[in-house]
Each structure stands twice: as C-alpha cells, then as structure tokens.
Amino acid sequence: MIRILLADDQTLIRAGFRALLNAEPDMEVVAECGTGNDAVRLAIRDRPDVVLMDIRMPHGDGLEATRRILAEPGLVGTRIIILTTFELDEYIAEAVRAGAAGFLVKDTEPEELLRAVRVVHDGDALLSPSVTPRIMAQLALQSRASTPPRALEQITDREREVLRLVGEGLNNAEIAERLFITPLTAKTHVSRIMAKLSVRDRVQLVVLAYESGLVRPGWTG
C-alpha cells in the first residue's frame, strides 16, 4: 500500500485528489493539510511514502517544506511530487534542487497522476519531457559553481558515461541500447553512481550531471 500525504491549500483540489487516490487498491491518503508547516509536521508523524506538495502555500511554502521533510533522518524513504498551477521554471528548478522527485501541473490527467505516484514510489524520477530541458537550463544558470571534479573521480569512466546519459534524460532501457548493455546492467550502474555520489534519486543525478558540466543545455548524445 502506497501511503500518501496531500499538502495543498485548496480544499476542493485536495478532495478531488483524495477521492481519486483512495479509489485505487494500492493507495491510501493517510493525511492532508493546507500549509507548509503542517506538511512537515504530518510527514514526521505519519511517515508517508509519497507527498503531493503544492508549491505555493501559506505558513511555509512547498519549497521550504520539501527541504525540511527531506532533511529529516526518519524520512529518507519519503518521495515528494511538487504540484504547480503553471509551469514556472524558476520554482520547479528550485524544487528539483531541494530534492523533489518530480513535478506535475494540477490540471494533469487523472491517469497521469496515478502513474506519477507509482513511478516515484518505485524510486524513479518524474520529469516531464516538455519542460525538463528548460528546467535544467535554469539550474545551470542558477548554479554558483560546478560540482568539484574530485566528486566525479569516485566513479569509473563507464559510470561517468552512464551519468551523462542520465543527464540527457534517458531511462535505463535507452541507456542500455545506447551502450550495448542490458537494462539490468544499466540499472546497476545507476544505482552504484547514486551510492558513490550520495544522491537520493535519479532527479538529483540529472542535476549533478548538469552542474558538473557533463551535460549542458541543448546538448544531445
């Protein structure tokens, strides 16, 4: 059962999401709230698997709540999906930097919302192909300094190649096809890279690939 926390200051939106999610046999909304501070408090209390987090809320917005939740030692397994009314690149880029597993616009199709919850619960990233290049360009512009080269010295040449492809937005199957390896081998490489570089998920690998200079906005493989 995927345990979900809803954090949105619009009661009607929470009600719609709650009805949709609770109708699924593998999902349960365990708590809901309308402020950032309450999102942090309830996340600590209920330890949800996934948080659907509005980016704009009173008393601590979604960005600050995301940072605080992901900084909690007891919530290392909690995944956060940022909800936005509009595709505001600067806010989404900051959410990704804060550690969010992905983002959705609020008018997304119900099936896409359900898929998103399952995707991030399974440990994958949720980055919309239509906006990911813009978000990563924003991150590159915001970056104050590139990742120190010493950080990437921890990974092998093959792992560096895999990291670059992750940064380009390829999934494990696509990486496997590009490098003539099996999808399982690609997945193993990605897992080892995350462990070596101490990042929590694939989204953070994409950020690192851009900030380290392995990938630049507009590059293709």
Side-chain angles (χ1 to χ4, degrees), residues 40-149:
V40 177
R41 178 179 60 82
L42 292 175
I44 294 172
R45 186 192 73 182
D46 296 313
R47 297 175 182 252
D49 300 309
V50 176
V51 180
L52 293 178
M53 180 82 74
D54 187 13
I55 204 167
R56 289 181 170 178
M57 291 184 292
H59 307 299
D61 64 19
L63 295 177
E64 179 60 25
T66 295
R67 294 188 191 96
R68 291 169 60 189
I69 288 172
L70 297 181
E72 285 289 330
L75 297 176
V76 293
T78 296
R79 312 274 288 171
I80 297 178
I81 299 174
I82 294 292
L83 299 172
T84 68
T85 303
F86 305 103
E87 293 178 348
L88 299 174
D89 292 359
E90 65 273 21
Y91 289 123
I92 298 173
E94 193 59 36
V96 171
R97 189 187 295 279
F103 59 89
L104 287 173
V105 290
K106 289 184 180 180
D107 62 353
T108 190
E109 293 295 325
E111 295 79 9
E112 180 64 18
L113 174 64
L114 297 174
R115 186 190 74 84
V117 171
R118 294 186 175 103
V119 164
V120 301
H121 178 257
D122 289 342
D124 212 337
L126 184 75
L127 291 173
S128 169
S130 67
V131 297
T132 296
R134 303 200 317 264
I135 299 311
M136 293 309 153
Q138 186 79 20
L139 282 169
L141 289 173
Q142 290 177 352
S143 180
R144 291 184 292 272
S146 296
T147 300

Side-chain angles (χ1 to χ4, degrees), residues 158 162 172 175-176 180-192:
R158 172 61 95 179
V162 170
N172 290 341
I175 292 172
F180 303 102
I181 58 178
T182 67
L184 179 59
T185 299
K187 181 178 180 180
T188 299
H189 280 311
V190 171
S191 297
R192 287 176 178 169

